[in-house]
Amino acid sequence: MLHVAAVGASNVLLTNSDTTISTFNKDYVYEVKKARSEIRIDGVIEEPDWQAAQKADTFFKVLPVDSGYATQPSTILMTYDDKALYLAQIFYDTIPGKRVMESFRRDFAFGNNDNLLVFFDTFLDQTNGFSFGVSASGAKWDGTMSNGSAVSLDWDCKWESKTKHYDDRWVTEMRIPFKSVRYPRGSQTWFTNFSRLDLKANEKSSWAPVPRQFPTASLAYTGVMNFEEPLPKPKPQISVIPYIFGGVSKDYEAGTDASYRKDFGFDAKIGISSSMNLDLTYNPDFAQVEVDRQIANIDRFELFFPEKRQFFLENGDLFSSYGYNTSTPFFSRRIGLDAPVLAGARLTGKIGNDLRLGLMTMTTEKTNDFLSRNFTVVSLQKKVFARSNIGFIAVNKQYFDVPSDTSMYNRVVGVDYNLASANNFWSGKFFYHRSFQPGNPDKQYSQGASVTYKTKHLTLGLYETSIGENYLAETGYVRRSGYNFVGTKTGYNFVPNKKVVSHGPDVQIDNYYDKDYNKIEHEYELSYHFQFQDRSEFELSYKNFYVKLQEDFNPTSDAANFLPVGSDYHFGAVSAEFTSTRKTLFNWRAEATKGSFYSGDIQFVEGEIGYRFQPYVNLTMNFNFTDMDLGAPFDREQFFLVGPKMDITFSDKIFWSTFVQYNEQVDNLNINSRFQWRYQPVSDIYLVYTDNYFTGNWNSRNRAIVLKMTYWFN
């Protein structure tokens, strides 16, 4: 059993045999009483247990300023029985106008909806946890938490909620089965916080106060919830999710006949213990995954697109958080995009309170272009000090059926230290990774260090990276190799709490050097930002660049000409960006840039406009126009990228989205239309149509339609 005792003036100390954890907000304790009768999830708070429950009804402002109480009252009630936790929410709303509710879609966009979010730290490590929430439309939100505040919404579980609206308030009841979350045996205390986003009042607030520079999801600033009796013993759960799919595709560009496909596969989730999960997949199909949003690419390096496939995303931080986003040893998009995945397994969870384990192995099929390959990654993370951790990772990519006198593999091992102070003001990372490959040349290292100090007013950061010229992480993402980097960032924030809520300057200085520490590139940025009372934002910036090319570079489609290796360039540009408030039905964001670019000039405008017929229809369109003139002998380049998207949510079970992307830079028009019917909890039928056309003559390039059905047994 946990014992609670006040320590000092700012934190509470909780001990549990081999665990000692300090947390802030010692005075914010919620005593959860056990229910004596049945709770009906109907959005009507009338049961006796709700009347007897403790009220969490004092919410503190976090944004626009973190002083004072929220303008509109909020109340949270909780109770529980042997099977589930129950939560009731009453958010009063007397400001004239419609409540902001974008759609019925699960895992809604946080900033586009009035909403409640709840955060649970069940293992009391102030680093990992679970998040649940509802928007004003009644749409659900559920996700796993990592790195102290990050929420991954790619985890779904079975739980219930019901939302009702009244003239002066909106009310929700929630039922979260204990079997849907993980917690230690004998658990009687969790850390928690409740967050309200009230767009009509232009406020974000929380029950346990959080400094405005941090998200309300910050587990360093949770309060404490004590259950009246210890929770029921966690029971291992087994879920099987079979799926069948079929489709037809035709490649007009290649001139091949139509190709028909029908197949089946399954996912399985096996609870090894209350804190350890085994996920299995056979013959997975990811046709229902939303297509990537295209962007205009005039960069010298490979673009980084985020992972969207659910199997790789649940507990994905155990594998993807190593290194930086410019040099990470494991990037799951390397698996299965060039060859179908045959099968895979992933074991993730906790060993005790302070050690996390991740093990993943995936095998892809042999194709005409690639041999069969196995991808295996092992990750261990050990909590140290208040909220920091040290991690070890090993990644192996192995080819099958290679000639007997040939060895084809790529391996990376590494260690990371992630700094997170008790009050969240200090954060940082220190890592060293090394790759191994046939021949094993020298300089196969990736090393980096960073430290950031962040308060309400001041941000200071120092960053360093060194990547060896022969470092190779084939299962990772390495933006560039053979360089040394040093960068700093300084920012100051004035918070006058008027129509301009906050404003201030930011200075970023990034320098790149070759292996002998001769400068090969710099990027200096000076910017000034404004945040207004209605949560709209404006930023004005100037960037100055120096580049000495290490390889030939052609940013245009002019195949006959290029900028030669060894040539150097000084250039710069001015940018202005505005983001409107999200509480109005019409909203927009736009950025305009004008300046020099390598040997010539560039100007472009990009952004997004949107309108919603809430909560049923959400219309958006991203756009980009680029005008680039590098001078003779290059041709002047002018191209559009336009991406209209229509998202219709007929209810909380039926969704239809269509995304059209017209991209003159790559001479392609893509149409992706996806229908989803959630006919049972976490069980879906998808119908997906994809078409590609040339932008000049509008001839079809390829076309496909896929039908997929899943069902969740548990």
Side-chain angles (χ1 to χ4, degrees), residues 246 288 656-657 673-677 685-689 705-708:
Q288 79 279 8
W656 177 38
S657 64
S673 189
R674 182 179 59 165
F675 176 83
Q676 177 186 359
W677 173 26
I685 292 176
Y686 297 96
L687 182 64
V688 183
Y689 171 78
I705 186 167
V706 174
L707 177 66
K708 180 177 181 179

Side-chain angles (χ1 to χ4, degrees), residues 564-673:
V565 61
S567 57
D568 57 358
Y569 306 89
H570 284 91
F571 52 98
V574 176
S575 297
E577 181 176 4
F578 180 79
T579 302
S580 74
T581 179
R582 312 305 288 184
K583 67 179 181 179
T584 55
L585 297 180
F586 174 77
N587 52 80
W588 60 282
R589 180 193 66 84
E591 177 184 358
T593 298
K594 183 176 179 60
S596 53
F597 186 67
Y598 289 92
S599 59
D601 299 305
I602 193 171
Q603 52 190 345
F604 65 85
V605 59
E606 65 177 7
E608 183 176 84
I609 58 176
Y611 190 87
R612 63 179 183 271
F613 301 90
Q614 60 180 32
Y616 300 101
V617 181
N618 188 30
L619 304 175
T620 59
M621 184 176 72
N622 64 286
F623 58 88
N624 174 281
F625 172 70
T626 300
D627 181 2
M628 179 172 51
D629 187 0
L630 299 183
F634 293 93
D635 295 330
R636 185 174 183 175
E637 292 278 338
Q638 292 181 313
F639 52 84
F640 281 96
L641 191 159
V642 182
K645 183 178 182 180
M646 177 181 65
D647 190 21
I648 301 177
T649 57
F650 299 95
S651 67
D652 61 353
K653 296 179 175 61
I654 301 177
F655 317 102
W656 177 38
S657 64
T658 298
F659 194 10
V660 179
Q661 300 190 83
Y662 172 82
N663 190 339
E664 288 187 331
Q665 188 182 26
V666 296
D667 188 24
N668 190 68
L669 172 69
N670 172 259
I671 302 172
N672 181 266
S673 189

